[in-house]
Amino acid sequence: MARFLGLDKLGSGERVSTCLQEIWDSLRDLRILQQVYPNEFQISSERLLVSTSGAWFICSRCGMMTVHPVREACVVAGCGGRLSRMTTSELRDRLADHHWYSRYTQTDAFPVEVREHTAQLTNELGANYQREFMQGNVNVLSSSTTFEMGVDVGQLKAVFLRNVPPTPANYTQRAGRAGRRREGTAFAFTYARSTPHDQTHFFRPADIVQGEVPVPKINLANRKLTQRHINSYLLGQFLRSPEAGIAGDQITIALFFFEPTPDQAPASRFGAWLQVQRDSLILPISRIINPESGLDADTSLRQSLAELDSARSMLMDRLDAYQRQKQEGEAQLANAQGRERYAALRNIDSADRLIAQLRNKERLIDYLSSDPHWLPGYAFPQDVVKLLVRQDNRSESLRLERDLEYGIAEYAPGAEVIANGWTLVSGAIDLQNRELDVRFYRVCSACNRVERANQLADIPRQCPTCGTLPTGQRARTMKYIVPRGFTTLIDDPIEDVRLFRLKAPPNSEVFLVEGSEPNRFQQHPEFPGITLGYRPDGQLFRANSGPKGGHFSICRICGYAKRTPAGSHRKPWGPDCNGGRIIADLVCEFRTDTLQIRFDGLRPAPPPVGDRSFWLSLQTALIAAVTDVLVIPRRDLDGTYRSQGEGSSAAELVIYDRVPGGAGYVARIQQELPGILDRTLRRVRNCPNPSCVLAGSCYACLRTYGNQFSWDELRRDRVSQWLESVLGRSVGAVV
């Protein structure tokens, strides 16, 4: 505006702003601009007129063409060029080979049909969209990582990546969807967002395009995964037997658990079949079990039956919850009139639909591989939570499931979820017919330890570990719950997708809350100054405190968690509720293999636990070295650090398996520790990137996709100096 008015942008800023405000007000008052959402305006398509009549002008600097020569200034921001009028012959020569001119004037328009292909859709709907895409009825397929896994869509010409993938393996899988036929040329176009990871690879694209892809591995000694595969084998054998009495491939929950009656259903006959077939099952099960898993055939048979009983109990709890919700709707209907009567009928219909969908439409294999994890599932999630959709029948096409660690953010009350072209809003905790289990926690910012208790009075004001008064966002003792699921509100509308959605509230870092017992720590045989504490079922803790740390307001009775004025509200399934609210955080607690590493006996001793830059850098470098030495993907391990115990400022590193139940990697660190420390020093001292400064870091040494928002704290010189002095005395200088 300053350029068009011939004014100085800074000196005449007030005049320019006034002019812009008057233009905005005029467009709004004339209803050329129409408000569609709060602070979101659109121009109606009926108000748009595209015209090329009149003389054409061209910029002498950038070549931009226009028919609107406002003060003969170029319309391109920052260009500063001047416009000159074009002759007829100049215009004809200019447009002779112009792509967009030919596209608009010489080819017919075609509609663009866009569909989603993600794990949020049912298998049937996803397969249908994929088939429509291959047939040309769908032009654009917006996909998640589900398209990495060997999907062949034929003559795909182009792949657009909306961000730089985390690893070269992800990039290869996604870009490789295009060009799987010899005809024509395929393109992979990547949009680099303004995040550290994306911008790094924007300037160094070869690192993601040509990077190394590690060989995938799986630990056959994982006890949980072994048991799930044994369950799969047993179920297959049972369903083929006459005792099951089931014909057909599409087995529903009702067919397995309830027909002809719950007491006579195949699930009730499974235990008797195991007992009769025990001797014939022992040998094949023994062949499945890896001796290092610590599992035996007899134990696995008993565990299989016990876990199936637990899965049936979980199913009955969900069905009982829906039945109670239906009864509440029927009680509401008895005295309702007008709109209230319509609402009661809608609530009853919603409960009926959820019961029918769970009993009669959900496949047995889908249920047993998700909620109870009785069967192996994709990526072997440990704790899955669902977002239940209560409005009309849209839930029948959706499968909204996430690992609890991510679900406490992405499905948290108030979070917006985009699925199948709709915007869904989570509004409550799905209690699943159980009481809300409330506990208390606090995080000490000084020693990085979490205190948990059943009662508020059991958490002292001062940190019992380091004695300080905790400060920071989570220093206040807070209530917390571990959600079993989430749900939308039946009264909330389902809207079409907008240009933007609310960002999910961020999770906290991961904390170790149950590690190795003090008497189980052992000195390393080659490094007497290092002690290690291994625990195969260590417990870790991660919290979500809501948007901007404002926590969640949750009804104790129905789980309603939408922020509204105090007082009554409606239950997620419709009827009125007067339950009291609690202010709490959402928490994920999970168990896996953990290893605590202490460096107390080394000289010089490492810095105290309060030195975040050092410990974060050492943690990152050591985990990277472990993945190098063990030749495993970086995403399969993670770590944290904390103080060692009561009254101590000394820190310990914590490394844990990200695979549920452990992948066996952590247990191998002790025997490989000399090589791991050697590789750690090489990584921080001899970074192969010549542009990387010693007082910082880069992707070649410490930076990863996961730690991109802590890059400012990563310094390889701190770790290098300490390890050089330690290893120089212990095992000689590292070359």
Side-chain angles (χ1 to χ4, degrees), residues 294-572:
L295 193 64
D296 61 79
D298 274 326
T299 301
S300 69
L301 288 174
R302 292 193 299 270
Q303 190 167 331
S304 180
L305 181 59
E307 291 180 355
L308 185 62
D309 288 340
S310 177
R312 177 165 44 187
S313 177
M314 292 174 61
L315 175 63
M316 295 304 298
D317 281 345
R318 287 177 59 186
L319 289 172
D320 288 346
Y322 298 152
Q323 190 63 41
R324 289 177 58 184
Q325 293 165 16
K326 178 182 177 180
Q327 293 169 358
E328 288 187 28
E330 292 171 341
Q332 179 187 11
L333 179 64
N335 301 312
Q337 294 181 348
R339 291 185 177 180
E340 284 296 319
R341 181 176 179 81
Y342 168 78
L345 290 171
R346 178 204 58 191
N347 300 344
I348 295 171
D349 179 68
S350 173
D352 274 335
R353 188 174 58 253
L354 291 173
I355 292 172
Q357 182 179 338
L358 182 58
R359 281 179 55 106
N360 306 322
K361 295 184 180 181
E362 184 163 352
R363 296 188 307 171
L364 176 67
I365 189 173
D366 291 336
Y367 172 71
L368 292 178
S369 62
S370 59
D371 280 0
H373 314 300
W374 195 76
L375 294 177
Y378 172 70
F380 305 110
Q382 180 163 337
D383 295 305
V384 171
V385 290
K386 292 185 176 182
L387 175 62
L388 182 67
V389 181
R390 294 187 178 274
Q391 300 95 322
D392 55 52
N393 61 351
R394 305 195 195 197
S395 61
E396 295 180 4
S397 62
L398 301 177
R399 189 177 182 180
L400 302 179
E401 299 178 350
R402 291 293 280 148
D403 193 298
L404 177 60
E405 185 178 355
Y406 305 104
I408 58 173
E410 296 180 18
Y411 290 168
E416 294 182 347
V417 178
I418 307 299
N420 202 30
W422 304 317
T423 299
L424 309 169
V425 180
S426 173
I429 307 297
D430 186 5
L431 300 183
Q432 299 179 5
N433 208 26
R434 302 181 188 180
E435 293 184 2
L436 202 62
D437 184 15
V438 182
R439 302 185 68 195
F440 296 83
Y441 88 103
R442 186 191 59 202
V443 177
C444 178
S445 55
C447 65
N448 229 29
R449 278 183 171 256
V450 174
E451 297 296 325
R452 298 177 301 164
N454 292 324
Q455 302 295 330
L456 176 63
D458 294 336
I459 297 183
R461 186 164 174 263
Q462 291 182 312
C463 174
T465 302
C466 65
T468 63
L469 289 172
T471 59
Q473 180 181 347
R474 290 184 170 82
R476 174 187 171 195
T477 299
M478 280 299 304
K479 297 183 179 73
Y480 79 87
I481 64 170
V482 178
R484 299 181 182 90
F486 301 90
T487 176
T488 63
L489 306 179
I490 197 169
D491 292 324
D492 278 356
I494 293 181
E495 300 178 342
D496 291 334
V497 175
R498 303 190 299 271
L499 292 177
F500 304 97
R501 68 165 176 167
L502 294 176
K503 189 176 181 180
N507 287 336
S508 72
E509 60 188 289
V510 176
F511 302 95
L512 177 68
V513 290
E514 291 183 18
S516 178
E517 297 294 332
N519 59 357
R520 292 188 175 273
F521 276 80
Q522 297 180 350
Q523 285 190 346
H524 191 276
E526 297 184 46
F527 293 96
I530 299 178
T531 55
L532 302 100
Y534 170 70
R535 179 165 177 169
D537 61 343
Q539 188 175 43
L540 296 117
F541 179 100
R542 194 169 201 175
N544 191 297
S545 297
K548 299 181 180 179
H551 313 290
F552 298 95
S553 176
I554 305 169
C555 174
R556 286 181 175 271
I557 303 299
C558 68
Y560 182 97
K562 197 171 183 179
R563 288 200 172 271
T564 57
S568 63
H569 56 270
R570 289 187 180 273
K571 295 177 180 179

Side-chain angles (χ1 to χ4, degrees), residues 32-109:
I32 296 174
L33 284 174
Q34 298 181 12
Q35 183 169 350
V36 291
Y37 299 106
N39 298 319
E40 187 174 317
F41 294 81
Q42 290 181 356
I43 300 177
S44 171
S45 60
E46 298 176 354
R47 299 277 186 174
L48 295 176
L49 176 64
V50 179
S51 174
T52 60
S53 61
W56 281 87
F57 292 77
I58 186 169
C59 175
S60 59
R61 173 174 290 184
C62 71
M64 171 62 72
M65 297 168 56
T66 181
V67 293
H68 301 291
V70 183
R71 298 182 65 91
E72 297 183 353
C74 181
V75 297
V76 177
C79 174
R82 307 300 297 172
L83 300 179
S84 60
R85 184 166 181 166
M86 303 177 70
T87 65
T88 303
S89 61
E90 287 175 335
L91 180 61
R92 183 174 58 251
D93 294 341
R94 178 77 175 179
L95 298 179
D97 298 317
H98 196 285
H99 169 74
W100 291 114
Y101 178 78
S102 300
R103 179 70 184 84
Y104 287 132
T105 62
Q106 299 176 18
T107 60
D108 295 330

